[in-house]
Amino acid sequence: MLAQNRFILVLVVGALLAVLSFSLQYLHLIPTNTTMAAKRSQGKNRKRVNPVLHTDPPAPDPIRDTHQYCNYPNLTEHGWEGHSLPDYKLLSVQVMIRHGDRYPLYSIPKTKKPTIDCTLSDKRKPSHSLLNPFISHMALGGRGHWDASLGSLPRLPNHSSCEMGELTQTGIIQHLKNGDHLRQAYIKRHNLLTANWLPRQLWVETTGKSRTLQSGLALLFGFLPHFDWTRLTVRQQWSTLFCGSSCDCSARNWYLDQEQHRQYRQRIADTELERTYVAMAKTLGVATKNLRAANPVDALLCHFCHSLPFPCSSSRTIANAQDEEACLTIQHFAVIRRQQKDDELERREAGLYRRYAVLAAHPYLNHTAARLERIARGRQFRKGKEEAVFALASAHDVTMAPLLSALGLEGAGFPRFAARLVFELWSSPEVKDKGKNEKIRGRKRGKELDGMFIRVLYNGKDLTFDTAFCHDNNRHSDQPLCPLGNFLSFVRKDMFNIVNATSYEQACHQTVQ
Ligand SMILES: *[C@@H]1O[C@H](CO)[C@@H](O)[C@H](O)[C@H]1NC(C)=O
Ligand SMILES: *[C@@H]1O[C@H](CO)[C@@H](O)[C@H](O)[C@H]1NC(C)=O
Ligand SMILES: *[C@@H]1O[C@H](CO)[C@@H](O)[C@H](O)[C@H]1NC(C)=O
Ligand SMILES: *[C@@H]1O[C@H](CO)[C@@H](O)[C@H](O)[C@H]1NC(C)=O
């Protein structure tokens, strides 16, 4: 029974990965310079003539968006993590990350794979002052506690020619930087974890892939340089949804299925995309359907993010040896990215993905809500009941995209490499004074969450008041922050409104049509 469930889960997860990798996309948040957008859109998008650009909103630019997606680690990391009103106390931080830059999961038939070195070296760019200390520290990893199969995974990428899906040095640097940024925000400013933190105060979980494990360890090392291995336990999540023991949900699979049908219809209706696939297949001398099945955008993203030339046909005949057209081009790539963006907009309108997302993200959110509530109620002060004041979940695009959608943050776009989503728990100054007495007397139910607030940040931006559970709270009202209670009732009940249900159980097992 258990083995069977696990098998079904593997199938579902596989399907998810295939579909969502296919729909990699990134929604731009920065206003465009109109003249540049006009220049760039010439020629690349013949289908959409846009003669009045100066009055229309700026045209989406799939290439600029893709630069955002790559998340080059050559800029200083900024963010609003740890910023709050004076005298508020930071009680806990729960983080979910997407793994960093990785080698493709698919290869394009009849082309040479991109040449990338996945060993780590401070001689190569991008690098970071923490890179060498990180490498040395990982060699001591045998002292840590490893759940399930994690102990046998490599703790560092180490192939001179990257393997499929392997984390690159860029990926490591992205997360060392994330960790270092969070250390400034939480440890330096707020003493979130003191030097003698207890094992239970740190929670680290990852899927069983080396790229998520290594990403999590890099962030952790940036956050707690030279951390004590013996205090660390790394837990494994079997599902990319981080649904623990609550993965069984037939309605979720139904919505995903519907969403995939919608996506398929959208794709075949896009004649420019179809023409592009035909042209690309012809260039490489492969059947169009074989090229499509190889999900070429995944490999092209890797070429793009690493500034490598796009692949050329490796089986050029004498007749076309001189033919410059035997390579894939940025124009091909731009069409695929443009279609992905259109698909993202249509997906939001159709609403099927949001329904899927609510059911996919609930178990993780429920777990997070329960932990924040226990901390808010002061349970972590009981001996042996210490709670995770810092929790890290190292995950995939297929984990984070539904989470964003379920929270009502679809506008934040498709998760880029090394994206980070942060939940912060804060208490107001009044709670601090009152808390001391009430801890002894035991707090009354209901009242005790007064003065507890939540903040939600994505890649350093404070999106608290964009979330479905707090967008009605006016920043300028007497509640300057979002009450934790809003989040708790959203996760336990309100999030199921969209699927006409009041609980996860009910939503998962009702008949949908
Ligand atoms: C960062 O690196 C990317 C890719 O190598 C490059 O295109 C970009 O210009 C760099 N930015 C800065 C500010 O150095
Ligand atoms: C990487 O692999 C090489 C060759 O297998 C080995 O000599 C080296 O110690 C490894 N480095 C790390 C940091 O694991
Ligand atoms: C949600 O969390 C509560 C409290 O921890 C737990 O009792 C319940 O089983 C969880 N439900 C799901 C669907 O995960
Ligand atoms: C929820 O109920 C309304 C009204 O009965 C119906 O129109 C809608 O389609 C239902 N939505 C779902 C997701 O079942």
Side-chain angles (χ1 to χ4, degrees), residues 186-206:
Y186 297 135
I187 296 187
K188 284 206 161 168
R189 281 168 80 113
H190 295 285
N191 292 310
L192 187 71
L193 282 175
T194 52
N196 47 7
W197 51 274
L198 301 165
R200 302 180 67 115
Q201 294 180 313
L202 180 70
W203 178 274
V204 179
E205 57 188 341
T206 172

Side-chain angles (χ1 to χ4, degrees), residues 41-316:
S41 64
Q42 277 168 16
K44 125 192 127 205
N45 203 342
R46 264 165 252 114
K47 198 181 71 172
R48 291 211 224 137
V49 186
N50 206 348
V52 281
L53 257 180
H54 56 282
T55 53
D56 281 5
D61 180 345
I63 297 303
R64 190 206 44 225
D65 293 345
T66 307
H67 284 298
Q68 304 264 350
Y69 176 84
C70 298
N71 189 11
Y72 308 112
N74 53 3
L75 302 171
T76 317
E77 200 56 49
H78 292 290
W80 292 95
E81 284 97 346
H83 285 252
S84 187
L85 299 176
D87 304 326
Y88 278 59
K89 186 170 162 45
L90 181 65
L91 300 181
S92 175
V93 174
Q94 318 275 316
V95 183
M96 177 177 277
I97 54 172
R98 184 189 175 201
H99 60 75
D101 179 78
R102 61 151 169 77
Y103 199 71
L105 297 170
Y106 307 84
S107 57
I108 304 180
K110 299 211 183 156
T111 62
K112 221 166 108 295
K113 291 189 200 163
T115 312
I116 298 179
D117 187 341
C118 272
T119 59
L120 302 176
S121 162
D122 65 347
K123 307 276 186 303
R124 211 173 332 110
K125 280 189 171 172
S127 191
H128 193 280
S129 57
L130 286 173
L131 182 61
N132 283 334
F134 171 68
I135 294 170
S136 316
H137 201 63
M138 289 305 112
L140 309 174
R143 301 175 189 171
H145 307 277
W146 304 93
D147 200 9
S149 65
L150 297 178
S152 60
L153 291 180
R155 287 185 272 278
L156 292 172
N158 190 19
H159 291 94
S160 54
S161 174
C162 298
E163 302 204 319
M164 302 307 267
E166 188 168 10
L167 195 69
T168 65
Q169 174 157 323
T170 302
I172 291 284
I173 303 297
Q174 286 164 337
H175 279 302
L176 286 173
K177 286 185 60 197
N178 274 337
D180 188 50
H181 168 68
L182 297 183
R183 186 174 64 88
Q184 309 286 342
Y186 297 135
I187 296 187
K188 284 206 161 168
R189 281 168 80 113
H190 295 285
N191 292 310
L192 187 71
L193 282 175
T194 52
N196 47 7
W197 51 274
L198 301 165
R200 302 180 67 115
Q201 294 180 313
L202 180 70
W203 178 274
V204 179
E205 57 188 341
T206 172
T207 61
K209 294 276 188 252
S210 64
R211 60 182 174 279
T212 46
L213 176 74
Q214 293 162 2
S215 292
L217 291 171
L219 187 145
L220 195 62
F221 190 79
F223 186 61
L224 293 169
H226 306 283
F227 59 81
D228 177 356
W229 276 111
T230 63
R231 287 186 255 169
L232 176 70
T233 300
V234 184
R235 288 162 172 95
Q236 181 166 353
Q237 279 285 349
W238 292 97
S239 162
T240 52
L241 296 179
F242 284 59
C243 45
S245 55
S246 314
C247 293
D248 180 25
C249 183
S250 54
R252 182 189 70 220
N253 301 339
W254 188 85
Y255 283 120
L256 184 61
D257 201 45
Q258 297 297 301
E259 164 60 17
Q260 286 170 356
H261 282 114
R262 181 207 61 73
Q263 195 170 37
Y264 176 74
R265 287 191 302 270
Q266 199 267 358
R267 183 158 54 72
I268 59 173
D270 193 318
T271 52
E272 189 190 31
L273 180 75
E274 293 301 299
R275 266 190 277 120
T276 302
Y277 270 126
V278 170
M280 289 166 70
K282 193 159 161 256
T283 301
L284 301 178
V286 299
T288 309
K289 71 174 194 317
N290 292 350
L291 177 70
R292 212 197 303 276
N295 192 12
V297 73
D298 183 60
L300 293 179
L301 276 168
C302 177
H303 286 266
F304 183 89
C305 291
H306 288 264
S307 310
L308 296 171
F310 280 158
C312 300
S313 169
S314 60
S315 57
R316 292 188 218 185

Side-chain angles (χ1 to χ4, degrees), residues 255 355 498-500 510 512-513:
Y255 283 120
R355 295 188 171 94
I498 190 172
V499 287
N500 289 348
Q510 71 189 352
V512 277
Q513 55 235 282

